């Protein structure tokens, strides 16, 4: 089987990028041939160095690095991205049997989907967010600091000043969403959900689309077999981008009320504000290996109090796998993996609820017991890379019609590539 993984970045700087890269490696390790197509120029994760992985770069720019008008145009419909992708696909020695998309908003745009869907092989899109339906991608009102209750692309949605940047950014993203609806049309798209709650939520957002829904957990980095000792930890830890929608500010205040230090690993717009609060320790960005070492040595628990309907934050699963209790937002998909009162706490993303949970975790014996239970439950049903890759392989096989292969579609791809100028 030859699988194409289409992503915009090839380094694990965020959750979606990390899953794309690790999926490629996992599939190669179980014997599949993988072509990893990297849209944006940039670093390449060493995990992609494998004899069964071929990497292709499209040489596109991240639209956030462009001037306003070129960025807006490329974000809505990037014809050059589709053309370069068509060229890359037409040059395969062995045609793809399926194509799995992980990212498309930072360079590829909706323009690539009609091309992909004309090839004649299954096209899958992992829903790491809600950009398929929601213009700002998170179904969250930044202007009100609360989840959105509006129907995506309705009149009320179009009028809402909900974007994290500006009304101008909202207009561009609305245009992109409209372009995506045109691009998909009546075409069949297989969507992969990383949490249970996403299935019902996205179905309600996109009635009338020809979507087939599938559910596969994200892979989790598995460290040493021995569990951590959270009873010896001294702080409530937060790992990730420091933003209000992720609840970083809630962690600082709730930890203060509970009489515990708050340890922040990451960067973001709230960095300066948090650094000035009492009881807060800022460690900045750290590598995955460093994060695991810090959590094992310092964390009484990990806090993930997202205000938005976050899909599947990897840090939560990695903490549970290490034997560290988690306090997760009841709005987050990660809460599905936390057994309330047993492996951590599921709480509303509010200071009072979080402070109550943190206060209970001041008991080192309770934290230690929760950590042991979290570790045992993960080992009993691991969300490992091998398991993730096997689930993907089985899904691909179920979707590919007839014998593996799609040589008959090679001419279709080539016919869409057009003249090939030198683009580096």
């Amino acid at each position: 089987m030859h699988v194409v993984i289409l992503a915009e970045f090839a380094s694990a700087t965020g959750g979606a990028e990390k899953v794309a890269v690790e999926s490629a490696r996992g599939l190669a390790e179980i014997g599949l041939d993988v072509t990893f197509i990297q849209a944006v120029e940039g670093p390449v994760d060493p995990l992609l160095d494998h004899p069964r992985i071929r990497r292709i770069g499209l040489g596109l720019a991240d639209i956030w690095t462009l001037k306003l008008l070129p960025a807006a145009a490329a974000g809505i419909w990037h014809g050059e991205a589709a053309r370069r992708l068509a060229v890359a696909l037409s040059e395969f020695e062995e045609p793809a049997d399926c194509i799995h998309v992980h990212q498309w908003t930072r360079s590829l745009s909706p323009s690539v989907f009609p091309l992909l869907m004309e090839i004649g092989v299954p096209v899958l899109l992992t829903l790491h967010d809600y950009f398929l339906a929601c213009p700002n991608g998170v179904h969250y009102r930044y202007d009100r600091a609360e989840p959105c209750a509006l129907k995506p692309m309705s009149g009320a949605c179009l009028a809402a000043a909900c974007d994290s940047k500006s009304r101008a950014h909202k207009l561009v993203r609305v245009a992109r969403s409209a372009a995506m609806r045109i691009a998909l049309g009546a075409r069949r798209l297989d969507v992969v959900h990383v949490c249970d709650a996403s299935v019902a939520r996205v179905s309600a957002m996109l009635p009338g689309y020809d979507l087939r829904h599938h559910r596969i957990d994200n892979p989790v980095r598995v460290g040493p077999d021995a569990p951590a000792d959270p009873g010896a930890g001294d702080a409530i830890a937060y790992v990730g981008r420091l933003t209000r929608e992720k609840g970083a500010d809630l962690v600082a205040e709730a930890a203060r009320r509970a009489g515990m230090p708050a340890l922040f690993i990451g960067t973001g717009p709230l960095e300066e504000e948090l650094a000035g609060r009492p009881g807060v320790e800022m460690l900045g960005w750290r590598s995955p290996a460093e994060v695991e070492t810090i959590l094992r040595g310092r964390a009484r628990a990990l806090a993930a109090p997202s205000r938005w309907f976050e899909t599947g934050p990897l840090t939560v699963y990695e903490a549970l796998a290490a034997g560290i209790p988690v306090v997760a937002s009841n709005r987050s998909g990660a809460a599905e993996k936390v057994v309330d009162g047993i492996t951590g706490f599921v709480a509303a993303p509010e200071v009072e609820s979080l402070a109550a949970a943190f206060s209970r975790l001041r008991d080192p014996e309770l934290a230690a017991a929760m950590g042991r239970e979290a570790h045992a439950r993960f080992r009993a049903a691991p969300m490992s890379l091998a398991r993730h890759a096997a689930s993907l392989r089985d899904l691909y096989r179920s979707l590919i019609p007839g014998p593996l292969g799609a040589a008959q579609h090679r001419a279709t791809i080539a016919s869409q590539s057009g003249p090939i100028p030198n683009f580096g």
Side-chain angles (χ1 to χ4, degrees):
M1 189 190 303
H2 177 200
V3 176
V4 173
I5 291 184
L6 178 58
E8 293 182 305
F9 302 93
S11 60
T13 56
E17 297 95 330
K18 187 175 182 181
V19 172
V21 168
E22 293 191 351
S23 292
R25 180 63 180 233
L27 292 169
E29 288 180 351
I30 63 172
L32 277 65
D33 293 320
V34 178
T35 298
F36 190 98
I37 299 182
Q38 171 187 359
V40 177
E41 286 290 335
V44 178
D45 195 292
L47 285 176
L48 295 177
D49 184 12
H50 188 281
R52 284 191 174 273
I53 299 176
R54 175 194 182 199
R55 187 181 61 84
I56 297 174
L58 298 184
L60 298 170
D62 181 349
I63 62 172
W64 286 106
T65 67
L66 303 176
K67 293 183 178 180
L68 180 60
L69 291 180
I76 296 168
W77 192 268
H78 198 345
E80 177 66 5
R83 198 196 65 75
R84 293 191 188 189
L85 179 58
V87 170
L89 294 172
S90 71
E91 294 177 344
F92 285 175
E93 293 182 4
E94 294 294 332
D97 294 305
C98 62
I99 300 171
H100 195 152
V101 184
H102 283 271
Q103 304 156 318
W104 57 276
T105 61
R106 296 275 292 272
S107 66
L108 294 171
S109 84
S111 69
V112 303
F113 284 90
L115 162 69
L116 297 175
M117 291 176 171
E118 290 299 319
I119 295 173
V121 301
V123 177
L124 301 91
L125 173 65
T126 291
L127 301 182
H128 299 285
D129 45 45
Y130 300 102
F131 275 118
L132 188 61
C134 168
N136 73 20
V138 291
H139 204 47
Y140 179 80
R141 295 288 300 266
Y142 285 94
D143 55 333
R144 298 183 178 180
E146 64 184 23
C148 182
L150 303 176
K151 178 182 178 182
M153 298 295 284
S154 64
C157 167
L158 301 184
C162 62
D163 199 87
S164 63
K165 301 291 184 181
S166 67
R167 282 191 176 273
H169 282 86
K170 172 69 181 286
L171 289 174
V172 172
R173 287 169 168 157
V174 164
R176 181 176 62 193
S177 291
M180 187 61 163
R181 295 185 178 213
I182 294 170
L184 291 181
R187 298 178 175 93
R188 162 67 54 84
L189 179 65
D190 287 280
V191 293
V192 178
H193 298 268
V194 300
C195 68
D196 296 341
S198 169
V199 180
R201 192 170 291 129
V202 171
S203 297
M205 288 180 181
L206 290 169
Y209 279 71
D210 189 7
L211 302 179
R212 283 190 299 199
H213 300 271
H214 311 280
R215 173 72 176 85
I216 295 179
D217 283 328
N218 281 332
V220 176
R221 184 185 301 274
V222 180
D225 287 337
D229 181 12
D234 68 318
I236 299 296
Y238 173 101
V239 180
R241 187 160 167 75
L242 306 179
T243 63
R244 295 194 195 283
E245 67 271 19
K246 282 183 168 288
D249 56 315
L250 298 175
V251 174
E253 178 59 22
R256 185 191 68 78
R257 293 193 189 185
M260 298 189 70
L263 183 68
F264 289 92
I265 306 173
T267 60
L270 295 186
E271 194 168 352
E272 184 175 346
E273 174 188 324
L274 294 173
R277 296 195 180 195
V280 166
E281 184 176 349
M282 309 290 290
L283 298 185
W285 183 90
R286 299 298 179 96
S287 70
E290 290 175 309
V291 170
E292 181 174 357
T293 298
I294 293 167
L295 291 181
R296 282 179 169 269
R298 297 285 310 278
R300 179 64 60 91
L302 177 89
S306 293
R307 289 181 169 102
W308 73 287
F309 295 120
E310 194 166 10
T311 51
L314 292 172
T315 54
V316 168
Y317 309 140
E318 289 167 352
L320 293 171
I324 298 170
V326 170
V327 179
S329 167
N330 58 7
R331 296 175 186 170
S332 172
E336 298 166 6
K337 301 296 185 184
V338 178
V339 185
D340 189 41
I342 304 297
T343 63
F345 295 103
V346 177
E350 300 167 354
V351 169
E352 294 77 9
S353 298
L354 295 168
F358 295 168
S359 294
R360 292 187 63 183
L361 285 161
R362 291 184 64 180
D363 179 355
E365 293 185 2
L366 175 63
M370 285 185 162
R372 288 193 298 269
E373 187 65 23
H375 183 266
R377 288 177 181 245
F378 181 87
R379 286 303 190 272
M383 298 165 62
S384 64
L385 179 56
R387 185 170 182 170
H388 173 80
S391 296
L392 285 178
R393 177 198 58 204
D394 294 345
L395 173 58
Y396 299 154
R397 285 176 175 170
S398 73
L399 298 176
I400 297 171
L404 294 182
Q408 67 273 24
H409 302 289
R410 186 182 179 93
T412 302
I413 305 170
S415 68
Q416 298 180 52
S417 65
I420 308 174
N422 179 17
F423 49 72

